[in-house]
Amino acid sequence: MATRTPMHTEAAGPDLRHHGDAEVRDDGSALVDLAVNVRADTPPAWLREHVAASLGSLAVYPDGRAARAAVAARHGLPVERVLLTAGAAEAFVLLARALKVRRPVVVHPQFTEPEAALRDAGHTVDRVLLREADGFRLDPAAVPEDADLVVIGNPTNPTSVLHPAATITDLARPGRTLVVDEAFMDAVPGEPEALAGRTDVPGLVVLRSLTKTWGLAGLRIGYVLAAPETIADLERAQPLWPVSTPALAAAEACVAPRALAEAAHAAHRIAADRGHLVAGLARFADAGVRVVAPAEGPFVLVRLPHAAAVRHRLRGLGYAVRRGDTFPGLSEEWLRLAVRDRTTTDGFLRALGRTVAEPA
């Protein structure tokens, strides 16, 4: 059974502001990056060229109407249900500041920015901690009935668990805002459990990011899908012109039919590459390596003895991986590994073999 943990704004705990990019800054810049969940072969040339072509319009204030309409069309929604943001991280800040909530709950382990944003806005946050013994699967009954804001990722970062859409919608209640972070959903072939585009779930807010699949983390572009009144509340909390002209150009391009077809193809390739990684990790089962399965995102969560020491040894061999202990509900025994191409994965597995063979 998942556990509930009240977490006050001043409470100590994991560093919620630590993210994978910290592993590849400064002295980590030359490492092979398995710490950041951005697709490695992106952005493609056609997208770079499209964004570059927008630079001639930088003297004009950004106009997001075309990009907003394109995102709405991609999900079969009216534009009043779409808000463009400077990445999904901005959306979490807007939700924390704009919505009037009494008891927010974040389902962990998951991306830590939602809780950090809520705490920064002065909220007391309750945590529902999913358990390894349950495969980090969601039990809707674990969420307090009086929670009026619930945040969950799907597929969840870092566990790579894809929750059934029906399980998540069981969390919906009158008077409750249900925030589903689908930043990695387009990396799941066919997006079978997606809620983006649904208008029949009360209080549903879906967040999407274009930075992961398209390698646009430096450009900052994402969007929110929600009821018009929620979108209006969030928009009032945004500064003027929050999304730059190049980011708007990227958004419009990334939801076009050509891009959607390319993303769908990439999702199948990621699934195959993930299978190769998981199969390779299975070779180290005798050394105590355990993978959370089934993994459905472009990353896997791994538990192994002396993970902190292994992570440091991997750095010495040229590989950066994401520590897991900054995610609530996980300990120092956890690492998150981004899915990469087979050649990169094979090199990493050789390095991992050397590290787990060394004495602690």
Side-chain angles (χ1 to χ4, degrees), residues 32 34 277 281 284 314 319-321 335 337 342-354:
V32 178
L34 278 77
L277 171 61
L281 292 168
F284 304 110
L314 286 169
Y319 292 88
V321 299
L335 299 174
L337 311 174
R342 295 190 178 205
T343 299
T344 301
T345 294
D346 288 343
F348 165 74
L349 291 170
R350 287 191 294 271
L352 180 64
R354 290 176 58 184

Side-chain angles (χ1 to χ4, degrees), residues 95-344:
L95 288 163
R97 294 178 178 176
L99 300 187
K100 305 296 190 292
V101 295
R102 295 172 289 97
R103 190 177 185 187
V105 170
V106 179
V107 179
H108 286 289
Q110 76 147 338
F111 183 51
T112 53
E113 279 302 312
E115 181 176 323
L118 286 163
R119 289 171 59 181
D120 286 348
H123 296 285
T124 296
V125 181
D126 278 2
R127 293 174 179 169
V128 170
L129 301 178
L130 305 184
R131 301 191 314 153
E132 178 189 8
D134 302 323
F136 297 108
R137 315 299 296 187
L138 171 67
D139 176 8
V143 176
E145 191 62 31
D146 62 346
D148 56 354
L149 173 69
V150 179
V151 185
I152 186 168
N154 203 34
T156 302
N157 169 23
T159 63
S160 207
V161 168
L162 182 66
H163 303 287
T167 301
I168 292 183
T169 57
D170 278 348
L171 292 172
R173 303 279 189 281
R176 172 184 287 177
T177 300
L178 174 59
V179 179
V180 184
D181 177 7
E182 292 189 350
F184 296 99
M185 187 64 80
D186 58 356
V188 179
E191 302 188 13
E193 308 301 337
L195 293 175
R198 293 275 296 271
T199 60
D200 61 322
V201 181
L204 178 65
V205 177
V206 175
L207 275 57
R208 287 276 179 128
S209 170
L210 296 173
T211 64
K212 311 299 190 298
T213 289
W214 296 108
L216 298 173
L219 199 58
R220 312 307 306 140
I221 180 64
Y223 54 88
V224 181
L225 307 174
E229 57 270 24
T230 301
I231 294 297
D233 288 341
L234 300 180
E235 194 168 18
R236 280 192 292 270
Q238 267 188 323
L240 289 173
W241 310 292
V243 180
S244 70
T245 294
L248 292 171
E252 192 172 356
C254 289
V255 296
R258 168 189 176 177
L260 295 179
E262 184 173 324
H265 176 76
H268 286 283
R269 187 176 72 246
I270 289 167
D273 288 342
R274 182 181 60 241
H276 183 71
L277 171 61
V278 171
L281 292 168
R283 301 200 300 265
F284 304 110
D286 290 346
V289 176
R290 300 289 183 269
V291 180
V292 175
E296 302 285 356
F299 45 86
V300 298
L301 183 63
V302 177
R303 186 172 190 171
L304 68 163
H306 314 295
V310 168
R311 182 171 67 89
H312 287 295
R313 291 169 185 163
L314 286 169
R315 292 182 72 85
L317 295 173
Y319 292 88
V321 299
R322 172 65 157 90
R323 59 190 286 192
D325 62 320
T326 63
F327 292 101
L330 300 182
S331 68
E332 289 188 352
E333 294 185 325
W334 294 93
L335 299 174
R336 190 192 68 195
L337 311 174
V339 173
R340 297 294 185 239
D341 64 90
R342 295 190 178 205
T343 299
T344 301

Side-chain angles (χ1 to χ4, degrees), residues 15 17-29 31 33 35-36 311 315 320-323 326 336:
D15 180 3
R17 296 295 189 187
H18 180 92
H19 300 295
D21 60 323
E23 308 283 354
V24 289
R25 292 188 194 136
D26 302 327
D27 63 341
S29 60
L31 300 177
D33 180 9
V36 177
R311 182 171 67 89
R315 292 182 72 85
V321 299
R322 172 65 157 90
R323 59 190 286 192
T326 63
R336 190 192 68 195

Side-chain angles (χ1 to χ4, degrees), residues 35-56:
V36 177
N37 287 330
V38 173
R39 216 176 89 203
D41 58 343
T42 51
W46 66 264
L47 182 54
R48 293 197 302 270
E49 293 165 2
H50 183 81
V51 171
S54 73
L55 298 181

